[in-house]
Amino acid sequence: MAVFDFVDSDGDGLSDKEDPCPFSNDCDYDGLSDKEEKEIGTNPLKIDSDCDYLSDYYEAGLPKLNPLNPDIDGDGVLDGEEYLYYNPDFG
C-alpha cells in the first residue's frame, strides 16, 4: 500500500486515494462533505446528483425527499419543479 492510501489531507474522513478532491472536504460546495456524500450515495462532484433542481444537501435534510430520486412521488414532475411552482409540503 502507498502512503496516499492513508493520508487524509482535507480531514473529511476519506483517504486522498478515495477522495475525488483531496484538498477540499466538500468538492462541490453543496454543504455535504465528500464523506457524507459517499455514505448516502450522492456524487461529491455534483451539487444536485439526481438533477431535479434541488441540492443534495437540501434533499438529504428532508425526510420526504431523496437526493437520488428526482421524482419522489412518481407523478412525472421533478421535485424541484414541484417545490418552485406548486410548493407542496416536503418538510
Side-chain angles (χ1 to χ4, degrees):
M1 297 195 139
V3 172
F4 292 109
D5 291 346
F6 304 103
V7 174
D8 179 11
S9 296
D10 58 12
D12 65 0
L14 298 176
S15 72
D16 287 358
K17 182 178 179 179
E18 64 182 328
D19 196 332
C21 191
F23 299 106
S24 172
N25 65 2
D26 183 7
C27 289
D28 57 10
Y29 301 102
D30 66 354
L32 293 173
S33 73
D34 298 337
K35 182 179 181 182
E36 291 171 314
E37 298 228 34
K38 182 179 180 182
E39 289 170 355
I40 64 174
T42 55
N43 186 337
L45 299 175
K46 291 179 71 176
I47 292 171
D48 180 12
S49 293
D50 62 4
C51 301
D52 65 356
Y53 307 113
L54 295 173
S55 74
D56 294 340
Y57 176 81
Y58 183 80
E59 288 189 89
L62 295 175
K64 292 184 181 179
L65 292 176
N66 181 336
L68 299 172
N69 183 346
D71 182 13
I72 200 71
D73 60 4
D75 65 356
V77 179
L78 296 175
D79 295 335
E81 292 173 336
E82 286 193 67
Y83 179 77
L84 290 173
Y85 299 114
Y86 307 111
N87 199 14
D89 178 23
F90 280 129

